[in-house]
Short mmCIF file of all heavy atoms in Angstrom, two decimals:
data_model
loop_
_atom_site.label_atom_id
_atom_site.label_comp_id
_atom_site.label_asym_id
_atom_site.label_seq_id
_atom_site.Cartn_x
_atom_site.Cartn_y
_atom_site.Cartn_z
N ALA C 74 13.33 24.59 -16.81
CA ALA C 74 12.40 23.49 -17.07
C ALA C 74 13.15 22.24 -17.51
O ALA C 74 12.83 21.11 -17.09
CB ALA C 74 11.38 23.90 -18.12
N GLU C 75 14.17 22.42 -18.34
CA GLU C 75 14.95 21.28 -18.81
C GLU C 75 15.72 20.63 -17.67
O GLU C 75 15.79 19.40 -17.57
CB GLU C 75 15.93 21.73 -19.90
CG GLU C 75 16.76 20.60 -20.48
CD GLU C 75 17.72 21.06 -21.57
OE1 GLU C 75 17.74 22.27 -21.88
OE2 GLU C 75 18.46 20.21 -22.09
N GLU C 76 16.30 21.45 -16.78
CA GLU C 76 17.03 20.90 -15.63
C GLU C 76 16.10 20.11 -14.71
O GLU C 76 16.50 19.06 -14.17
CB GLU C 76 17.71 22.03 -14.85
CG GLU C 76 18.92 22.61 -15.55
CD GLU C 76 19.49 23.81 -14.82
OE1 GLU C 76 18.70 24.60 -14.24
OE2 GLU C 76 20.72 23.98 -14.82
N LYS C 77 14.88 20.59 -14.53
CA LYS C 77 13.93 19.87 -13.68
C LYS C 77 13.63 18.48 -14.24
O LYS C 77 13.59 17.49 -13.50
CB LYS C 77 12.65 20.68 -13.52
CG LYS C 77 12.82 21.95 -12.68
CD LYS C 77 11.54 22.76 -12.63
CE LYS C 77 11.75 24.05 -11.86
NZ LYS C 77 10.53 24.89 -11.83
N LEU C 78 13.42 18.42 -15.55
CA LEU C 78 13.18 17.11 -16.17
C LEU C 78 14.39 16.20 -16.03
O LEU C 78 14.25 15.00 -15.73
CB LEU C 78 12.84 17.30 -17.65
CG LEU C 78 11.51 17.99 -17.96
CD1 LEU C 78 11.35 18.17 -19.47
CD2 LEU C 78 10.34 17.22 -17.39
N ASP C 79 15.58 16.77 -16.22
CA ASP C 79 16.80 15.98 -16.07
C ASP C 79 16.95 15.45 -14.65
O ASP C 79 17.37 14.31 -14.43
CB ASP C 79 18.02 16.81 -16.46
CG ASP C 79 18.12 17.08 -17.96
OD1 ASP C 79 17.45 16.37 -18.73
OD2 ASP C 79 18.86 18.02 -18.34
N LEU C 80 16.61 16.29 -13.66
CA LEU C 80 16.71 15.88 -12.26
C LEU C 80 15.74 14.74 -11.94
O LEU C 80 16.09 13.80 -11.22
CB LEU C 80 16.45 17.07 -11.33
CG LEU C 80 17.65 17.97 -11.07
CD1 LEU C 80 17.21 19.29 -10.47
CD2 LEU C 80 18.66 17.28 -10.16
N ILE C 81 14.53 14.83 -12.45
CA ILE C 81 13.56 13.75 -12.22
C ILE C 81 14.10 12.44 -12.78
O ILE C 81 14.14 11.42 -12.07
CB ILE C 81 12.20 14.09 -12.87
CG1 ILE C 81 11.56 15.30 -12.17
CG2 ILE C 81 11.27 12.89 -12.80
CD1 ILE C 81 10.32 15.83 -12.89
N ASN C 82 14.52 12.46 -14.02
CA ASN C 82 14.99 11.23 -14.67
C ASN C 82 16.25 10.69 -14.03
O ASN C 82 16.40 9.47 -13.84
CB ASN C 82 15.22 11.48 -16.16
CG ASN C 82 13.91 11.60 -16.93
OD1 ASN C 82 12.97 10.85 -16.71
ND2 ASN C 82 13.83 12.56 -17.84
N PHE C 83 17.17 11.58 -13.64
CA PHE C 83 18.41 11.16 -13.00
C PHE C 83 18.11 10.51 -11.64
O PHE C 83 18.70 9.48 -11.28
CB PHE C 83 19.34 12.36 -12.82
CG PHE C 83 20.69 12.02 -12.25
CD1 PHE C 83 21.74 11.64 -13.08
CD2 PHE C 83 20.92 12.09 -10.88
CE1 PHE C 83 22.99 11.33 -12.55
CE2 PHE C 83 22.17 11.79 -10.35
CZ PHE C 83 23.20 11.41 -11.19
N THR C 84 17.20 11.11 -10.89
CA THR C 84 16.84 10.57 -9.57
C THR C 84 16.22 9.19 -9.71
O THR C 84 16.58 8.26 -8.97
CB THR C 84 15.88 11.52 -8.84
OG1 THR C 84 16.50 12.81 -8.73
CG2 THR C 84 15.57 11.00 -7.44
N PHE C 85 15.31 9.02 -10.66
CA PHE C 85 14.75 7.68 -10.90
C PHE C 85 15.86 6.67 -11.19
O PHE C 85 15.88 5.56 -10.65
CB PHE C 85 13.78 7.71 -12.08
CG PHE C 85 12.48 8.42 -11.83
CD1 PHE C 85 11.79 9.01 -12.87
CD2 PHE C 85 11.92 8.47 -10.56
CE1 PHE C 85 10.58 9.65 -12.66
CE2 PHE C 85 10.72 9.12 -10.33
CZ PHE C 85 10.04 9.70 -11.39
N GLU C 86 16.78 7.08 -12.07
CA GLU C 86 17.85 6.17 -12.49
C GLU C 86 18.73 5.77 -11.33
O GLU C 86 19.04 4.58 -11.15
CB GLU C 86 18.68 6.83 -13.59
CG GLU C 86 19.84 5.97 -14.06
CD GLU C 86 20.77 6.71 -15.02
OE1 GLU C 86 20.42 7.82 -15.48
OE2 GLU C 86 21.87 6.18 -15.28
#
Side-chain angles (χ1 to χ4, degrees):
E75 182 179 0
E76 286 175 324
K77 290 177 183 178
L78 293 177
D79 289 343
L80 276 165
I81 294 171
N82 286 318
F83 184 88
T84 303
F85 289 152
E86 178 188 349

